[in-house]
Amino acid sequence: TESPFLIVPTLSKPEIASQFTLTIYSSAPIDLRRLEDAKNAVLSGEWTKENAGGCHLHSDPFCSGEDSTWKNNPKYHLILKGQGKSKVKITLSRPESSWKKQIAKDAVGCMLGMYIVENQGRFEQNKDKTINPKEFVPFNEYSEELELESHNHGYVIVPATYAAKKYGSFILSVSTNVEFVFKPY
């Protein structure tokens, strides 16, 4: 395969450090580079019964009350350090094996997308403040490449499935040309 791969060595429990050796075998030449921790980050998350809110159509004015679930989706805070605009790549992915059955039953409802909202000091639940297109894709990975302005309040990233009540794990990664802070919101 000619696509780039991201290798993230992990342990089964958080906050445990260990030495390791990475060995790669290939029949073709490879280019291996260590990514700068301060400019690349990966966080794992999960849509659960409490936070699987679906896309913006699960909010006012499209629905109300208990059906208005978009605001419940997981949220992540991204603050870029530096001045001016920075190139940012944000990727939402999910493990194919654990989503396979749900996708077979409801491919449209399981489509992936994300909202990138300019933070106004507190999370505005107004989906109209998103700075990226509201696109959803029927794949296990979705990326946005943007130029974002650095400012104190940063951005809120809201990963979502198209339909609400789609449960499972996901991975959100950010790569930039500047240092940044990336954490659950």
Side-chain angles (χ1 to χ4, degrees), residues 42-47 51 73-79 90 92 114-117 119 123 153-160 169-174 181-185:
V42 177
L43 293 176
S44 60
E46 185 173 7
W47 288 292
N51 69 10
N73 278 307
K75 298 166 195 69
Y76 296 85
H77 198 190
L78 173 65
I79 301 172
I90 304 169
L92 172 63
M114 70 179 111
Y115 301 84
I116 302 166
V117 181
N119 195 12
F123 179 68
H153 298 298
Y155 299 86
V156 178
I157 302 169
V158 184
S169 61
F170 62 85
I171 297 169
L172 197 58
S173 63
V174 175
V181 175
F182 183 48
K183 61 186 178 182
Y185 189 77

Side-chain angles (χ1 to χ4, degrees), residues 22-166:
L22 177 63
T23 305
I24 299 173
Y25 298 97
S26 174
S27 59
I30 61 169
D31 180 18
L32 184 64
R33 297 180 202 162
R34 181 184 172 121
L35 300 176
E36 292 180 56
D37 290 342
K39 295 181 181 179
N40 299 277
V42 177
L43 293 176
S44 60
E46 185 173 7
W47 288 292
T48 65
K49 290 180 181 179
E50 291 77 33
N51 69 10
C55 71
H56 66 281
L57 298 176
H58 297 278
S59 64
D60 294 331
F62 307 106
C63 59
S64 59
E66 288 183 19
D67 293 332
S68 182
T69 57
W70 178 80
K71 64 186 176 289
N72 299 336
N73 278 307
K75 298 166 195 69
Y76 296 85
H77 198 190
L78 173 65
I79 301 172
L80 301 170
K81 297 180 179 180
Q83 303 295 319
K85 290 191 173 193
S86 300
K87 292 182 180 183
V88 179
K89 181 177 181 180
I90 304 169
T91 302
L92 172 63
S93 61
R94 64 180 169 209
E96 182 178 351
S97 60
S98 60
W99 279 86
K100 198 172 196 173
K101 287 182 183 178
Q102 284 190 82
I103 293 169
K105 290 180 183 177
D106 185 6
V108 172
C110 289
M111 290 192 302
L112 288 180
M114 70 179 111
Y115 301 84
I116 302 166
V117 181
E118 189 170 333
N119 195 12
Q120 303 294 317
R122 59 183 169 77
F123 179 68
E124 298 291 331
Q125 297 189 0
N126 184 347
K127 65 215 159 284
D128 296 327
K129 294 187 184 199
T130 59
I131 58 171
N132 64 315
K134 298 175 183 110
E135 295 178 350
F136 283 78
V137 298
F139 308 117
N140 289 313
E141 184 173 294
Y142 174 62
S143 293
E144 287 277 354
E145 293 189 35
L146 307 159
E147 281 200 12
L148 299 178
E149 191 75 38
S150 297
H151 60 84
N152 292 340
H153 298 298
Y155 299 86
V156 178
I157 302 169
V158 184
T161 55
Y162 189 76
K165 299 180 183 175
K166 300 298 176 190

